[in-house]
């Protein structure tokens, strides 16, 4: 469990770092690897950050690209 908590914390830190440099990023660019674990950890981190009003998620239409950007509310 400690390792998973560290992965989650590290992923949030990485996401914040990326978004401090690029205000809007395509969702798929946030993965280091395309492993199941990496995708789940990234997705959960994004959901948590969205819940905390740190980021917003946008998508123009169904099945189009998803963008993650810094929340400016």
């Amino acid at each position: 469990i400690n390792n998973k908590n560290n992965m989650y914390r590290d992923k949030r830190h990485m996401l914040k770092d990326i978004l401090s440099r690029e205000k809007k990023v395509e969702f798929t660019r946030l993965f280091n690897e395309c492993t199941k674990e990496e995708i789940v950890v990234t997705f959960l981190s994004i959901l948590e950050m969205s819940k905390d009003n740190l980021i917003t998620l946008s998508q123009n239409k169904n099945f189009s690209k998803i963008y993650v950007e810094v929340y400016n509310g």
Side-chain angles (χ1 to χ4, degrees):
I1 291 181
N2 261 350
N3 189 31
K4 289 189 184 208
N5 287 338
N6 289 338
M7 283 179 58
Y8 178 70
R9 187 181 65 243
D10 292 346
K11 180 55 75 171
R12 280 181 59 110
H13 180 70
M14 188 223 33
L15 293 171
K16 287 178 183 180
D17 185 53
I18 290 170
L19 290 167
S20 71
R21 288 180 275 123
E22 301 178 48
K23 301 304 178 200
K24 188 173 188 176
V25 181
E26 186 183 336
F27 177 71
T28 57
R29 289 190 47 220
L30 299 175
F31 301 104
N32 292 328
E33 305 171 31
C34 279
T35 64
K36 188 177 192 179
E37 187 173 51
E38 173 78 11
I39 292 168
V40 169
V41 168
T42 302
F43 187 71
L44 290 175
S45 298
I46 287 170
L47 288 178
E48 185 72 22
M49 291 173 73
S50 178
K51 183 185 90 168
D52 293 341
N53 291 322
L54 299 174
I55 61 172
T56 58
L57 304 170
S58 59
Q59 182 179 38
N60 291 331
K61 59 183 178 176
N62 288 345
F63 307 108
S64 67
K65 293 179 182 181
I66 298 171
Y67 291 93
V68 179
E69 58 188 309
V70 174
Y71 178 72
N72 291 317

